[in-house]
Amino acid sequence: DWSRLQRAPPQMQADRRLVWEALQQDYQALQYAAEELRADRDFVLKAVALDGRAFSCCAEELRNDREVVLQAIRGWGMALGLVSPASAAGRRLRADKEVVLEAVRRDWRTLDLADEALRSDKELALEAIAQSWEAIQFVSEELRTDREVLLAALEQNGEALRYAGEAMKADPELVAKAEARGWGFVAEGQERIIQCQASRPPNDISPPSS
């Protein structure tokens, strides 16, 4: 039982073999490993390759390590939310297109965690919108006037027109597409916004507090 690691003596919590066996049962075992293991780059790379969510349990100094972040994101897109924008290294990672694109491919909501400049990147926008039209709310004002971007969102739901730039809301083609996708039924409803908090991952995949 991996949870026994929590009450194990320090020498067992520092045992690479025992901790690895526990990780194969559940990624949360990493939070009970000795500090030196949680800060061991090679060990953490293996852990996040096994389950990207282990990134939430590694040492803080590894959360701005590009290779570790990329490996974690490949298994868990929301790992980007644990990359702190308060540090220069963290800001660079959130402005790194390769990192953000990898995250967006796993979870469209991570577009909300990207550096402001990347929200004007059309490739990222289309990648996110392909997963969910609701990603339109996270793109830049400039892209909200881009016909291709808007049509990609409107193909899924007419409510996407709500987020279009003002000049585009009167465009006959876009209005027709929106109405065909249910815009007339939601036009008087409440605006629905999905917020993606950068400070913590979703509750259902956060490790329990020790």
Side-chain angles (χ1 to χ4, degrees), residues 7 15 24 27 37 40 44 54 77 109 132 140 167 175 187 195 202 209:
R7 296 175 295 278
D15 187 300
Q24 291 177 309
Y27 77 92
L37 274 184
D40 184 308
V44 169
R109 296 171 299 166
S132 173
S140 67
V175 170
Q195 294 295 341
S209 56

Side-chain angles (χ1 to χ4, degrees), residues 33-158:
E35 180 62 34
E36 60 264 32
L37 274 184
R38 292 193 295 118
D40 184 308
R41 188 172 184 273
D42 291 338
F43 189 80
V44 169
L45 275 169
K46 287 180 60 180
V48 298
L50 183 67
D51 190 324
R53 294 172 296 177
F55 186 70
S56 63
C57 306
C58 74
E60 287 289 334
E61 60 263 32
L62 291 180
R63 291 187 183 178
N64 289 326
D65 183 299
R66 190 176 187 276
E67 185 179 356
V68 173
V69 171
L70 265 175
Q71 185 64 65
I73 283 173
R74 290 186 183 112
W76 181 43
M78 290 302 295
L80 186 61
L82 294 176
V83 176
S84 175
S87 69
R91 289 192 295 274
R92 283 194 298 273
L93 285 170
R94 289 188 181 220
D96 185 317
K97 183 175 176 178
E98 182 185 358
V99 171
V100 174
L101 182 58
E102 196 71 44
V104 168
R105 283 173 174 161
R106 300 303 185 275
D107 191 323
W108 63 270
R109 296 171 299 166
T110 58
L111 185 59
D112 189 34
L113 303 173
D115 181 81
E116 197 67 32
L118 287 181
R119 298 194 194 190
S120 293
D121 187 288
K122 191 170 179 177
E123 182 185 4
L124 286 174
L126 289 172
E127 182 70 43
I129 290 169
Q131 296 175 46
S132 173
W133 68 271
E134 291 175 292
I136 190 70
Q137 66 192 285
F138 300 142
V139 307
S140 67
E141 291 298 323
E142 176 187 358
L143 286 183
R144 292 186 191 203
T145 64
D146 184 289
R147 182 175 297 276
E148 183 182 359
V149 169
L150 291 171
L151 282 171
L154 288 168
E155 281 290 343
Q156 300 174 46
N157 195 305

